[in-house]
Amino acid sequence: MEQDSNRLKEAAGITAVDDMVKSGMKLGLGTGSTAIYAVRRVGELLTQGVLRDICAFATSIQTEIECEKLRIPFYTLNSRELSSGLDLTIDGADEIDPDNYLIKGGGGAHLIEKIAAYASVKYAIVVDESKLTDHLGSGFPIPVEVLPAARAQVIRVLEKIGATVILREAIRKAGPVITEHGNIILDIRFETEPYGFGKHIDPSLMEAELNLIPGVVENGIFTQKPPVVYIARSNGTIETRLSRHLSP
Ligand code: 5RP
């Protein structure tokens, strides 16, 4: 079962790289078990000499380590190489709706992933079909990265607007997950009024609204960078879905 799912993730990652990555690109590399296959494909094509002169940006320590292993040259976004922005970022997602709006942050890397996505000219998302949903937030909670000092106050405001809030707990560490930026993550759902009982969140409004709460560093809703989406189907095909504003 897991093997099948990995096969789909790999197919999506490879197809996106083969379709979209060109030599000389400034390339954002995402985080997670699907994006890692895109990273590996970039490494493979660099080793074969099919790709040259890639300046990569790694969106997490996980991705940095993979770049080190594969000898993919990577830089910070403040470096001379990347300060003018990225040509393309390839990343995974936790949920994707019919408008190609996303929930990300299952791996806790959505802060830097969003900075990379919104700093890119083109954006590609690689998923298997299990990530498709009709309405964001119906299966996967919205991750919200929060300053530890603001935890109680942010929870209070979130509960006031109808969210059920869960502090993300670490595995093999006592207490909460601490992000690469020293923050905590609140996973939130809207199951009660004003959003619950058959009502759905408006992704663009919710993305903006959550970031207005003092102490919220970034949330995992992505609506402002229309991606090309590579969907690996269990029948072995890869569907490429353009965002409406990208369609020819
Ligand atoms: C990490 C992310 C990942 O891209 C997202 O969680 C999908 O991961 P996976 O491909 O392992 O399901 O947003 O913060």
Side-chain angles (χ1 to χ4, degrees):
M1 190 70 177
E2 194 184 325
Q3 220 178 350
D4 287 349
S5 153
N6 285 340
R7 198 174 39 79
L8 296 185
K9 291 174 183 190
E10 181 174 23
I14 289 177
T15 307
V17 170
D18 290 359
D19 264 16
M20 295 189 72
V21 180
K22 309 276 178 261
S23 291
M25 272 189 163
K26 295 179 276 177
L27 182 63
L29 295 172
T31 297
S33 60
T34 317
I36 205 83
Y37 286 111
V39 178
R40 289 182 187 149
R41 182 63 168 173
V42 170
E44 187 179 28
L45 295 178
L46 281 170
T47 305
Q48 291 171 359
V50 177
L51 283 177
R52 281 172 291 105
D53 304 325
I54 294 290
C55 290
F57 172 68
T59 53
S60 64
I61 295 173
Q62 179 202 35
T63 307
E64 274 186 15
I65 291 170
E66 201 65 18
C67 285
E68 284 164 7
K69 274 196 222 154
L70 299 167
R71 297 170 189 267
I72 301 173
F74 63 94
Y75 304 87
T76 70
L77 285 180
N78 296 320
S79 64
R80 200 158 42 87
E81 285 79 2
L82 298 184
S83 59
S84 60
L86 300 168
D87 298 307
L88 167 69
T89 290
I90 302 180
D91 204 348
D94 298 300
E95 268 194 354
I96 175 157
D97 78 3
D99 290 319
N100 287 347
Y101 293 150
L102 314 169
I103 289 182
K104 290 183 47 55
H110 59 280
L111 168 59
I112 300 295
E113 290 174 327
K114 192 178 281 191
I115 294 170
Y118 290 11
S120 296
V121 177
K122 291 184 182 169
Y123 189 35
I125 288 293
V126 288
V127 289
D128 62 72
E129 62 188 5
S130 70
K131 305 293 181 65
L132 303 178
T133 182
D134 286 338
H135 300 285
L136 285 190
S138 43
F140 203 86
I142 304 163
V144 182
E145 181 160 346
V146 172
L147 276 177
R151 172 176 45 88
Q153 300 313 313
V154 173
I155 291 175
R156 197 165 55 79
V157 177
L158 288 171
E159 287 179 345
K160 213 153 119 188
I161 62 168
T164 304
V165 182
I166 292 180
L167 174 65
R168 193 180 294 183
E169 292 290 338
I171 298 170
R172 293 173 65 83
K173 170 202 169 283
V177 163
I178 302 296
T179 69
E180 290 173 20
H181 317 287
N183 299 314
I184 55 172
I185 293 184
L186 303 177
D187 287 310
I188 69 170
R189 291 181 186 277
F190 289 92
E191 287 158 341
T192 54
E193 292 290 7
Y195 292 102
F197 306 119
K199 295 184 192 161
H200 299 290
I201 62 161
D202 175 323
S204 313
L205 282 181
M206 184 59 74
E207 179 179 5
E209 189 179 341
L210 290 173
N211 282 2
L212 288 176
I213 303 170
V216 168
V217 180
E218 191 50 84
N219 70 83
I221 303 179
F222 287 47
T223 63
Q224 298 303 305
K225 177 57 67 174
V228 177
V229 183
Y230 291 85
I231 305 162
R233 300 274 183 190
S234 46
N235 65 10
T237 61
I238 304 285
E239 181 190 330
T240 308
R241 197 166 81 182
L242 295 184
S243 297
R244 242 176 288 153
H245 7 340
L246 276 182
S247 306

